[in-house]
Amino acid sequence: MHGVRVGDVEVAYDRAGQGPPLVLAHGATSDSRLFRWQIEDLADAFTVVAWDEPGAGRSSDVPPSFGLADYAHCLAAVIEDVGLGPAHALGLSWGGTVVLELYRLHPRLVRTLLLVDAYAGWKGSLPAAEVRSRIEGAERMLAVPAEEFAPTVPGLFAGQPSAEAVRLLSVMSADTRRQSMRTQLTVMAEADQRDLLPGIAVPTLLLWGELDARSPVESVARAFLEAIPEATLVVLPGVGHLSNIEAPEPFNRTVREFCRSRS
């Protein structure tokens, strides 16, 4: 395990392999373990860096006032700590919102962007009624007694996930911290990054599950494709929101080919 301090926050990350840096930012109610299949497979060609975002995994808690810019500054500190120059920055789901803000605030640290089943913030990608519904669902999860708190997000898979994937998500869910989740979802609900998209000047991969019910291809991915000048959309057939777990082989192959061609 590696780590870097940003102000009062300790940020932990895993690092494996050699080559151009590929930084992986996970989604909500998870941590770096979400990318175990990517770390194992891609470390032969890249220095793969998977962080535990502030408030998750082995990283320290975040104050309630923590904002999107704070997450982005912490991810920038990880890239600088790795010390290999600009990184291929991959963000899955909420992690995509974080890497977009990383690009806004620290563009020199980003070689390419890989947005996976992502959002330009919920406000920036979803209808207002859907945002309200998700906030209400999150509040219900956060209101349960501490001994019952084990948040689960609906609609992550298109099919039946493997037993190993179910176990992994269950463990990460059990490790989710209530205050971290509240802070994260508040930031996510309020974020609107549509103003950023037309100015993105690095190659951008949009990697989506065809049957993603959380961040639909036809509305969210297509909006990214229309707004980002150098964007390429790849859709994985029959796959849902956690495309890296549901279809790791085509997912990893697509990431490898995109990053190699732009390294």
Side-chain angles (χ1 to χ4, degrees):
M1 186 190 77
H2 300 263
V4 61
R5 175 174 282 275
V6 184
D8 294 330
V9 178
E10 287 283 352
V11 184
Y13 65 91
D14 289 324
R15 172 178 177 169
Q18 293 184 334
L22 169 60
V23 174
L24 310 176
H26 58 81
T29 68
S30 63
D31 54 49
S32 60
R33 290 172 288 184
L34 186 72
F35 292 113
R36 58 174 294 184
W37 290 277
Q38 284 66 57
I39 297 170
E40 293 170 359
D41 185 60
L42 296 172
D44 65 328
F46 304 97
T47 300
V48 184
V49 177
W51 81 335
D52 290 337
E53 72 174 20
R58 300 152 298 178
S59 294
S60 63
D61 291 333
V62 296
S65 60
F66 212 71
L68 183 54
D70 298 305
Y71 287 100
H73 291 322
C74 286
L75 187 55
V78 169
I79 296 172
E80 291 173 332
D81 195 57
V82 171
L84 295 176
H88 301 289
L90 183 154
L92 189 153
S93 189
W94 145 253
T97 303
V98 175
V99 301
L100 280 170
E101 201 66 16
L102 168 73
Y103 180 79
R104 184 197 299 274
L105 300 176
H106 302 275
R108 66 182 178 82
L109 296 179
V110 179
R111 183 188 301 268
T112 67
L113 286 168
L114 297 89
L115 304 178
V116 180
D117 300 285
Y119 309 94
W122 281 354
K123 187 176 181 181
S125 289
L126 300 174
E130 176 64 18
V131 175
R132 287 194 298 271
S133 176
R134 294 190 182 192
I135 292 171
E136 291 167 1
E139 289 298 334
R140 287 192 295 271
M141 283 192 289
L142 291 164
V144 301
E147 63 274 12
E148 298 176 17
F149 182 67
T152 56
V153 177
L156 295 180
F157 296 102
Q160 181 62 41
S162 68
E164 188 174 10
V166 171
R167 284 194 298 270
L168 175 63
L169 292 179
S170 177
V171 169
M172 290 190 294
S173 175
D175 289 342
T176 299
R177 303 171 216 171
R178 189 189 301 260
Q179 185 56 54
S180 294
M181 181 178 173
R182 183 180 297 279
T183 300
Q184 178 191 69
L185 292 178
T186 299
V187 171
M188 186 64 166
E190 295 174 353
D192 184 350
Q193 298 166 310
R194 285 175 290 183
D195 66 304
L196 171 65
L197 305 183
I200 292 176
V202 296
T204 301
L205 174 66
L206 309 172
L207 183 51
W208 243 259
E210 177 193 20
L211 303 179
D212 186 347
R214 300 283 302 171
S215 179
V217 173
E218 290 306 317
S219 55
V220 182
R222 295 290 178 188
F224 276 126
L225 185 63
E226 292 174 5
I228 300 174
E230 293 188 65
T232 301
L233 174 62
V234 175
V235 178
L236 301 179
V239 176
H241 190 61
L242 293 185
S243 53
N244 70 309
I245 291 179
E246 199 164 5
E249 291 183 4
F251 181 97
N252 293 349
R253 182 170 61 250
T254 303
V255 170
R256 181 188 297 272
E257 292 172 356
F258 176 82
C259 293
R260 270 186 168 172
S261 68
R262 293 159 179 82
S263 292

